Amino acid sequence: MSQKLTTKQEVEQFLSQYDTFLFDCDGVLWLGTHILPKVVETLTLLRSLGKKLIFVTNNSTKSRREYTQKFEKFGLTVTAEEIFGSAFASAVYLKNVAKLPKEKSKVWVLGQSGIEEELAEVGIESLGGSNQALDEEFTTESPFLKLDPEVGAVIAGLDTKVNYHRLAITLQYLLQPDVKFIATNIDSTYPQKGMILPGAGSIIESVAFASGRTPVACGKPNQAMMEAIVAQHGFDKKRACMVGDRLNTDMKFGRDGGLGTLLVLTGIETVDKIHALEASEQPLYFADKLGDIFELLQ
Ligand SMILES: O=C(O)[C@H](O)[C@H](O)COP(=O)(O)O
């Protein structure tokens, strides 16, 4: 049964079990540009206790570099090596697993600059994405209908500028059987201050349904992402904890990876949703917010 962290002793006991903490971002650390209460204090405290912090987000709109700038704005110094985003995970998958043939080495992007930047980092040329010509209304005269024969894959992720033009051209590439279909993540929604918004998964579902194809999803809960993180940071999974706000991505990612799990209620989930699960599916711990760790230790 999931245990709620409500006392200083419970928090001390919780912290004593783990040396490494993997943090989801949206819904745990912040809601869009709104940092959640006592997050900076909590992360600073954990660092002072010698804990290793790694940030694992399914949000593909920003590259690791752009995320370091977002952390900086909140007064937190985080290096790109401490951040794993689904855009990075997708680029690594394409580079090291999908291994596109030389003659089909380009990628069509349905998504934002974070994906384009991470693809460029691994030497993959991309089309589409944030290209402003795609903001134009779609017509059958669209120049993008002249498909690039060197495109060997589609990567689809969260795109807050999604429109019919982008969906129509993405579908044309997905109707080519030899073009691979990669999704950055499956999140149906994501939390913003006071509301829930359509996530990458809901956008990707549009072209998956239209094309009749199912993508390979590279973000949480895909364990390839966990393996990449463990390979880079070399921590003991038995003494690591995944902290997240979504049961079917963050908590599944942590549980399947053999990590401890802490669910916070500042994002998508509720206590009722936790208790509706089988005991084995529930997070080990839950809390109203991440900042409770700092507040309860005072
Ligand atoms: O793609 C989305 O729907 C959102 O960006 C995603 O849900 C947020 O990612 P998180 O930081 O919660 O993993």
Side-chain angles (χ1 to χ4, degrees):
M1 195 71 168
S2 198
Q3 178 193 342
K4 186 172 185 179
L5 298 179
T6 57
T7 68
K8 182 172 183 177
Q9 291 70 22
E10 288 170 343
V11 170
E12 287 171 340
Q13 200 279 331
F14 165 73
L15 291 178
S16 68
Q17 300 174 82
Y18 305 115
D19 306 321
T20 303
F21 290 87
L22 277 59
F23 291 98
D24 172 40
C25 297
D26 288 338
V28 174
L29 306 181
W30 53 62
L31 297 169
T33 57
H34 170 77
I35 188 99
L36 288 163
K38 298 286 187 268
V39 162
V40 175
E41 294 84 346
T42 301
L43 297 180
T44 305
L45 171 66
L46 291 177
R47 277 187 166 152
S48 72
L49 295 173
K51 308 296 185 184
K52 182 186 218 9
L53 311 186
I54 300 170
F55 301 92
V56 189
T57 177
N58 271 359
N59 189 316
S60 62
T61 61
K62 288 183 175 60
S63 64
R64 288 167 299 162
R65 179 190 61 78
E66 290 169 314
Y67 266 112
T68 60
Q69 293 168 344
K70 181 165 185 173
F71 277 104
E72 206 61 51
K73 280 195 192 120
F74 291 131
L76 283 162
T77 301
V78 175
T79 65
E81 290 66 38
E82 292 171 315
I83 299 167
F84 281 78
S86 60
F88 174 62
S90 303
V92 166
Y93 174 84
L94 264 175
K95 183 78 181 171
N96 300 338
V97 181
K99 293 196 173 75
L100 298 177
K102 196 166 170 39
E103 68 280 7
K104 292 187 80 67
S105 60
K106 294 181 185 176
V107 174
W108 175 267
V109 174
L110 174 62
Q112 300 181 212
S113 61
I115 299 173
E116 295 165 318
E117 185 173 329
E118 294 291 5
L119 286 172
E121 280 280 301
V122 297
I124 294 178
E125 185 180 345
S126 63
L127 315 173
S130 57
N131 185 331
Q132 289 181 354
L134 286 164
D135 295 342
E136 298 299 317
E137 187 180 350
F138 174 74
T139 72
T140 53
E141 304 307 310
S142 166
F144 294 97
L145 286 170
K146 189 174 180 327
L147 303 185
D148 186 326
E150 291 182 60
V151 167
V154 164
I155 286 194
L158 179 60
D159 186 347
T160 56
K161 293 187 75 174
V162 65
N163 62 5
Y164 194 79
H165 200 165
R166 287 181 166 83
L167 295 176
I169 305 301
T170 300
L171 176 60
Q172 304 318 305
Y173 281 108
L174 290 178
L175 292 175
Q176 315 288 317
D178 58 349
V179 170
K180 296 183 188 301
F181 186 12
I182 315 294
T184 58
N185 57 301
I186 58 165
D187 300 61
S188 55
T189 60
Y190 71 103
Q192 280 280 11
K193 201 161 187 291
M195 68 186 91
I196 302 289
L197 295 175
S202 299
I203 291 167
I204 293 162
E205 188 54 32
S206 161
V207 287
F209 184 60
S211 64
R213 296 183 63 177
T214 303
V216 172
C218 294
K220 300 168 287 186
N222 188 323
Q223 289 301 304
M225 197 181 203
M226 181 68 77
E227 285 151 27
I229 297 168
V230 173
Q232 176 158 337
H233 289 276
F235 58 83
D236 178 358
K237 294 200 285 187
K238 290 188 296 301
R239 288 196 55 82
C241 183
M242 178 73 210
V243 183
D245 74 302
R246 181 179 274 276
L247 289 165
N248 72 330
T249 54
D250 305 321
M251 296 298 98
K252 180 168 170 51
F253 183 66
R255 188 173 63 251
D256 290 354
L259 278 65
T261 47
L262 166 65
L263 182 82
V264 294
L265 300 175
T266 41
I268 294 290
E269 309 294 2
T270 62
V271 182
D272 291 346
K273 287 190 189 167
I274 297 174
H275 293 151
L277 295 172
E278 292 293 319
S280 62
E281 302 276 300
Q282 293 187 18
L284 290 177
Y285 299 94
F286 72 100
D288 289 330
K289 65 179 186 300
L290 176 62
D292 286 353
I293 289 179
F294 174 81
E295 289 179 347
L296 290 170
L297 287 178
Q298 300 317 300

